[in-house]
Amino acid sequence: MKLTFMGAGSTVFARNVIGDCLCSEALRDSVFALYDIDAKRLEESKVILEAIRKAKGGFGKIECYCGVENRKDALRGADFVVNAIQVGLYDPCTIIDFEVPKKYGLRQTIADTLGIGGIMRALRTIPVLRDFARDMEEVCPNALFLNYTNPMAMLTGFMLRYTGVKTVGLCHSVQVCSAGLLDLLGMQDKIEGRKELIAGINHMGWLLEIKDKNGVDLYPEIKARVEEYVKQDVYYDRVRLDYIRNFGYYCTESSEHNAEYNMFYIKSKYPELIEKFNIPLDEYIRRCKLQISLWKDEYETMLEKGVKEHTRSNEYASWIMEAIVTGKPIQIGGNVLNTGHLITNLPENACVEVPCLVNGYGVQPCRVGALPVQCAAMNMTNINVQLLTIEAAVTQKKEHIYQAAMLDPHTGSELDIDSIKKMVDELIEAHGDYLPKYN
């Protein structure tokens, strides 16, 4: 079996996913092909993964492929392709995504999933994924593409609608959602054996049902505890808890993410909301700087002291591959096209996040039915932007970029149309060759 990892310079993530595969008897003797365009980071990944491979018994084989000219060889014959690329990196593109909007008074927290930052990230990533898809259709047409790169719904939606590549989008947030909520509210005794239903869109999947091991609905107790919890002077997860209070349901992704997916919390006319909801503006910038500074020390420590034993994580990738290879079924929360109206009150061309069965036949999405109307409405404010951004990438019409930004809840609530268009033009110019030419 062959697993190709696109963006293997994302060393920590590559270590987790491939390390997980090396923990599986069904996967550990595979060929692990590492692909990146950064030779230095690729070599760092190889060194670490070779150390893990040896620590896990020396199974499998690691191969490295650097540069676009070697991409087809990296993909050739692959059974699974994991995608974790970041086009444009932190410097310059993430910096641009934050600093240009800031000139217009538009502040962001993460800027990788929605908002003007998410739009621009999608527009510079989709052309690269289009090239990946063309190569895959030629050299590994039956491979499953496991996408981890954000903006998840836009990129996965593009792959599923406009390429012939079998694709599923994967996120970390589904598998930790309900346990994190119960732990936060002091309901740890309800975690084991709980039953849950999560569905919606990536980063705004709704915890629609949560029951204890005896089938007792936990939402009444959760809502009562939330009301007591938010009376404290210092408390966490404020935006998502506010979702419970105002929309009736908890959602999958963190409060710092969800603060910028709507028109409610980051408002220049109401600056007090930033403190009230503990919103970390420019958070992704801080995280990137910290990660860059820590990575050098971490790598040098690993070289000096060796790699510790890897413990298999809850990342979906290795479990999906194992289920397909062995036929032993698992359930995941996957990002798939809403074909056949898996969620009946969201459009069919939307990318939705729903429970999926994975077995020897691949990834099979489950029908959920209708979301509560207010949850579907919240999702649609994001889906509108996602669909228009994909349309812009496919048609290369600048008007669709304008429209995506205009309909983005946060951007549209803060800026007038002329300012939005001017900001988009400045962003396109600043990104330069990282973007195609728009007409």
Side-chain angles (χ1 to χ4, degrees), residues 13-42:
F13 191 61
R15 178 183 66 192
N16 289 341
V17 170
I18 296 178
D20 287 351
C21 292
L22 290 168
C23 292
S24 166
E25 288 188 18
L27 305 175
R28 65 187 183 185
D29 213 20
S30 301
V31 173
F32 300 101
L34 310 181
Y35 171 81
D36 207 283
I37 59 173
D38 186 322
K40 180 176 181 295
R41 291 300 299 267
L42 185 60

Side-chain angles (χ1 to χ4, degrees), residues 38-70:
D38 186 322
K40 180 176 181 295
R41 291 300 299 267
L42 185 60
E43 178 61 25
E44 290 175 353
S45 289
K46 179 185 178 183
V47 169
I48 290 171
L49 289 167
E50 281 287 7
I52 293 176
R53 189 180 69 83
K54 291 175 183 176
K56 301 300 293 185
F59 294 95
K61 180 183 178 182
I62 294 173
E63 300 176 346
C64 289
Y65 300 86
C66 187
V68 174
E69 65 275 13
N70 294 306

Side-chain angles (χ1 to χ4, degrees), residues 1 12 163 234 252 261 289 359 371 390 410 412 421 423-424:
M1 195 187 80
V12 175
T163 80
V234 178
T252 48
Y261 297 165
K289 289 180 178 178
N359 59 17
L371 298 179
I390 294 171
H410 177 44
K421 290 182 175 181
M423 177 181 66
V424 166

